[in-house]
Amino acid sequence: MCLCFCSCFSFWNHHLLYQNLRTHPMDSNPSSNQPKPRAVPKEVIPPDTHETLPPRVGNISRDLADHIPIHSRKSLPTIRDTIGLSPRSPSDATMPFPSTTGPRSRKAVKLTQLKVNLDKDVSPSASSPPFAIHSERSTAEQHVDLLPFISHCSLFPLGYEFSKQELISLWAAQDLFTASSRQVENQVFASLLSDEVVLPSRLDPSMGVFRTFLYKINQSKLKFSAEYARVFDGDIDGVSDDVKHLSLDAKSIKHVGFESLERFRNLETLFVTPTPDFYAHQVPHDLFLRLKHLRALNFSRSHILELPSSLGNLKLLRYLDLSFTPIKRLPDSISSLSNLQTLRLKNCFKLDGLPEEIGKLTSLMHLVFDIIGGSGSMPHGIGNLTSLQTLSKFVVGKDDGCRILELKDLVDLTGSLCILRMENISSFEEAQEVDLSNKKLLSLELIWTTSRECDAVKEEQILQYLQPSLDLEKLEITSYGGFKLPNWISDPSYAHLVDMELYNCMNCECLLPIGKLPSLRFLWIDGMDKLERIDEHFCRDGEDQLYHAFPKLETLSIQSMPQLKEWTGVENGDFPWLNKLEIKFCPELHSLPVLSSLNSLKRLELSYCPNIKYLREIAHVPNVFIDGKKSLVHLKS
């Protein structure tokens, strides 16, 4: 009985902490500035994130640990539990490694070969399942040497933040995975995470509500190898010519120049890390004529302005990261990198565009970028990249080779995809042929441009046939011109859909029964100019009255609806978990549901809605803000 009581108390305590983390501070005042279009705050954190931490989360903050749902904290094995230490062999050595304590200091690190214990006679248990990795083609257990994975983490400097996919892509560039399987990749990462070699740092703010973790390396857990070197302040004299993986800061580049790297003829990884006030600008035109064995090249945040055409000589290159640099163009020779698997161009806002012959990079699996330059569409041949798993954006063009049909054969796409300039889709037949339902996308954004002639019926047909797969977790639709939304948007079969955002759907005249979505937690509706009523059809379709609408919704924002006059149709038991309600810029709205039935409501914001009457029915709401100012009148009524 004590155990049950403790478990229940722990669950309730975690739940309260999580609720506090997700909501605004109760004593804070929202900004009282003038209204801004689509000003939708997104500081809330969903209970189920795309990545889940194991139960042991080290010394990370209590808030970050507690926001992870208890039911998602699956028991994962730790390295110390599942790895057997093999006897010391003659090949093990004591080797010097650059330290951060001084330019010439070294520390001795003894290497021990780590092997995953894959004893098939070990019976699984509920608390600690065996860490057995199986091949996709065979059920035979494989020995996975984790030391190379840990050693590769030594390239990251203190405090450097990275995503899970970034680290896995670096591992893949070095052929560390003997069996190419997403399951193997995830299990190796989970093992390093559970043993605190990799630590969660924070949630990636660039992902909005659909957030993923950023990570950092626990330097005290690293296992160094003689093939790896990390250099600070220009001290590369003590690094062996035979080093294969080199990480050095931009300050070192400034001191010794890129020319000093030419002696490392066996170099497979070059990682230039950022240093405050020191940036690497110019790469010698002949550098890559000498470093022909490079497999991974990371210049992110280094202020690189351009890359020489000799980049095309890196025939073994598999990973190229130029994120957060002011680079303006990529050399045409990049199209000859036939083994390139990952190309990261995140936040390269000065980049003219993607390479014109990017369709030749047939090994490309991850293409991450933010803009496509002045051309206004994707370069020809994206459809040839049939190995793509990650494609952050696709800009629809009107010419052959740039149309939406380029997505047809990219059947391995997963993660997030943003499709822009949807108005360039010529017909619903094109949309149907793309078959998004066959792609396991977790997040989908569909964006039309606002300045266009709108064929509402055509856009309705196109959106109906762009139905995504049932794996979808986030959906955003922006500047859609149809009179009604597609039926699939309220299909309860979307059991994983957590976040929905509908922006500037100006012609929409009614809302579908979105209340039937079983897992929806965040809903923003902004800019439906023609919507006059929100009625019971918003909660249910009239056929089934047995369920409570919006069973998990926690945040609802209704904004910028100049014709909206009333909101009715909410029954007792609907919105059982609604924590925050925003209603803004609805000047004609005079009728609201009975707010006293929303027992979980903790925060109510009303702005520029002069006809809404409130007082006693919101007395239970501790935080009410009227036109940006906290109200206490309702508590006294």
Side-chain angles (χ1 to χ4, degrees), residues 88-102:
R88 180 174 174 82
S89 65
S91 62
D92 295 334
T94 300
M95 45 77 66
F97 192 82
S99 170
T100 60
T101 58

Side-chain angles (χ1 to χ4, degrees), residues 50-252:
H50 181 48
E51 297 175 11
T52 304
L53 292 179
R56 294 166 68 254
V57 290
N59 297 322
I60 65 173
S61 69
R62 177 70 176 268
D63 285 344
L64 181 58
D66 286 336
H67 106 270
I68 300 166
I70 293 176
H71 64 79
S72 295
R73 299 180 186 180
K74 300 177 182 178
S75 178
L76 293 175
T78 64
I79 293 177
R80 64 171 60 91
D81 295 330
T82 56
I83 296 179
L85 297 179
S86 60
R88 180 174 174 82
S89 65
S91 62
D92 295 334
T94 300
M95 45 77 66
F97 192 82
S99 170
T100 60
T101 58
R104 283 294 210 183
S105 60
R106 299 287 187 267
K107 65 178 179 180
V109 181
K110 292 186 178 181
L111 302 181
T112 305
Q113 192 73 359
L114 303 181
K115 293 286 185 180
V116 176
N117 184 356
L118 298 175
D119 186 356
K120 61 184 179 181
D121 295 328
V122 176
S123 58
S125 66
S127 59
S128 180
F131 181 44
I133 298 179
H134 300 282
S135 168
E136 292 180 335
R137 298 183 180 181
S138 171
T139 58
E141 293 173 343
Q142 307 171 38
H143 287 278
V144 177
D145 182 1
L146 289 179
L147 178 59
F149 297 96
I150 300 174
S151 295
H152 216 69
C153 293
S154 66
L155 294 174
F156 292 110
L158 183 66
Y160 186 90
E161 292 181 324
F162 55 90
S163 66
K164 174 183 175 181
Q165 187 56 56
E166 183 179 351
L167 181 57
I168 289 178
S169 296
L170 284 168
W171 287 339
Q174 302 301 328
D175 279 337
L176 297 187
F177 298 107
T178 55
S180 179
S181 163
R182 191 167 298 170
Q183 180 184 6
V184 174
E185 296 170 356
N186 290 336
Q187 289 196 26
V188 170
F189 185 87
S191 291
L192 268 61
L193 182 64
S194 63
D195 201 57
E196 301 175 14
V197 176
V198 174
L199 297 176
S201 177
R202 61 189 175 108
L203 292 168
D204 186 352
S206 67
M207 298 299 293
V209 173
F210 183 78
R211 293 184 178 183
T212 58
F213 286 106
L214 293 175
Y215 300 90
K216 60 184 178 181
I217 297 299
N218 184 352
Q219 302 289 327
S220 65
K221 294 278 187 171
L222 292 180
K223 303 293 183 181
F224 298 120
S225 165
E227 295 181 344
Y228 290 80
R230 195 171 66 195
V231 179
F232 300 90
D233 298 330
D235 179 32
I236 66 172
D237 294 339
V239 179
S240 169
D241 291 355
D242 296 326
V243 70
K244 290 186 177 181
H245 310 282
L246 177 63
S247 173
L248 70 166
D249 59 3
K251 188 174 181 180
S252 299

Side-chain angles (χ1 to χ4, degrees), residues 509-528:
E509 299 174 339
C510 63
L511 289 172
L512 293 175
I514 301 173
K516 298 196 306 181
L517 295 171
S519 302
L520 192 65
R521 285 188 165 93
F522 309 97
L523 176 60
W524 281 271
I525 307 175
D526 186 342
M528 289 190 175

